[in-house]
Amino acid sequence: MVAVDSVLILDERASMPGRGAWVHDTQECVEAAVRRRAFIRALRVSGALDTKALEKRLNGYGKKVNGSK
C-alpha cells in the first residue's frame, strides 16, 4: 500500500515510489488496519487517507470498509 496525494493505493508490484506499507491480503486484515489507522502511521501521512478506491477493489460494490469515512 502507498499513499499518493492522501489516497490509499494498492501497489501490487511493490514498485511505486515513496513509503509503502505491507498488509495481509485478507479483507479482515485490511479492515482492521483502516480501523486502527495503521496505514496513517506506517505511511507517515498527516490527516485522513481516502480509502474509496481500496474499498471498491476489496468488495467490488463500493461498500465502506469498517472504520472509513
Side-chain angles (χ1 to χ4, degrees):
M1 307 300 274
V2 295
V4 177
D5 297 326
S6 295
V7 176
L8 191 61
I9 298 175
L10 179 62
D11 182 10
E12 294 182 64
R13 296 185 198 170
S15 62
M16 295 181 76
R19 188 169 183 83
W22 292 91
V23 65
H24 293 111
D25 61 353
T26 64
Q27 187 166 353
E28 294 80 18
C29 188
V30 173
E31 288 175 351
V34 169
R35 186 176 60 251
R36 293 178 34 236
R37 301 173 46 110
F39 292 120
I40 293 172
R41 287 191 309 273
L43 299 173
R44 296 182 184 168
V45 295
S46 59
L49 286 171
D50 182 1
T51 60
K52 289 179 183 137
L54 177 62
E55 292 164 4
K56 288 180 184 178
R57 176 71 185 253
L58 285 175
N59 55 35
Y61 300 106
K63 291 185 283 185
K64 292 189 176 201
V65 174
N66 291 340
S68 67
K69 298 188 187 233

